[in-house]
């Protein structure tokens, strides 16, 4: 995130309280994942879905997951924060992103995957 102090832009690291030093034998766990579902990477959501499956091997959180989160954040901002005068189009945009926050994990993952390959119809 960022903030202005004395007319100067400062970047702020958030969620640093969740950071830990990892031991060499550390095994990642989806049960300990945090983040806003609306912005979470699809692979991490799918990993959280599968965490209780027998034989599940949790994936390691990587930089690409953070980059994907930035993508979802930017898309959310473009769909929610823009001024849309047509009430029906505005409702479609808001409904599209509202599901990212309120649906079951598998629905969120499916919807996000489909958005990457199919355009959203707001006409």
């Amino acid at each position: 995130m960022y903030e202005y102090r004395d007319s100067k832009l400062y970047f702020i690291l958030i969620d640093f309280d969740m950071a830990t030093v990892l031991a060499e034998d550390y095994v990642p766990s989806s049960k300990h994942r945090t983040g806003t579902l609306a912005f979470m990477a699809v692979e991490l959501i799918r990993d959280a879905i599968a965490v209780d499956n027998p034989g599940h091997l949790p994936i390691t959180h990587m930089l690409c997951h953070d980059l994907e989160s930035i993508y979802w954040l930017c898309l959310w901002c473009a769909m929610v924060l823009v001024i849309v005068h047509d009430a029906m189009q505005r409702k479609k945009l808001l409904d599209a992103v509202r599901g990212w926050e309120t649906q079951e994990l598998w629905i969120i993952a499916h919807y996000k995957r489909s958005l990457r390959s199919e355009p959203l119809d707001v006409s």
Side-chain angles (χ1 to χ4, degrees):
M1 297 184 71
Y2 68 91
E3 71 178 5
Y4 284 100
R5 283 184 261 152
D6 299 324
S7 300
K8 216 171 166 189
L9 180 65
Y10 290 88
F11 288 92
I12 304 164
L13 178 63
I14 61 172
D15 287 344
F16 193 65
D17 59 322
M18 300 300 294
T20 59
V21 177
L22 302 180
E24 285 186 33
D25 60 348
Y26 172 76
V27 177
S29 167
S30 294
K31 290 185 178 183
H32 302 311
R33 294 209 195 283
T34 61
T36 305
L37 281 177
F39 312 133
M40 192 176 285
V42 173
E43 188 176 26
L44 295 180
I45 294 172
R46 293 177 77 195
D47 188 54
I49 293 167
V51 71
D52 292 326
N53 292 349
H56 170 70
L57 297 174
I59 62 167
T60 302
H61 187 112
M62 296 181 292
L63 180 59
C64 65
H65 299 127
D66 293 332
L67 293 173
E68 184 179 340
S69 290
I70 292 169
Y71 165 79
W72 292 117
L73 174 63
C74 291
L75 186 58
W76 183 91
C77 288
M79 294 171 75
V80 173
L81 302 179
V82 297
I83 297 171
V84 179
H85 297 289
D86 182 292
M88 289 301 291
Q89 282 186 328
R90 175 90 178 137
K91 183 179 179 336
K92 285 183 181 182
L93 289 171
L94 293 177
D95 287 348
V97 296
R98 192 167 289 122
W100 300 358
E101 302 163 348
T102 59
Q103 296 292 332
E104 294 179 46
L105 292 177
W106 71 270
I107 295 172
I108 295 170
H110 174 76
Y111 185 70
K112 284 184 170 185
R113 275 196 330 266
S114 68
L115 268 180
R116 290 189 286 194
S117 59
E118 302 170 19
L120 177 65
D121 180 19
V122 291
S123 55

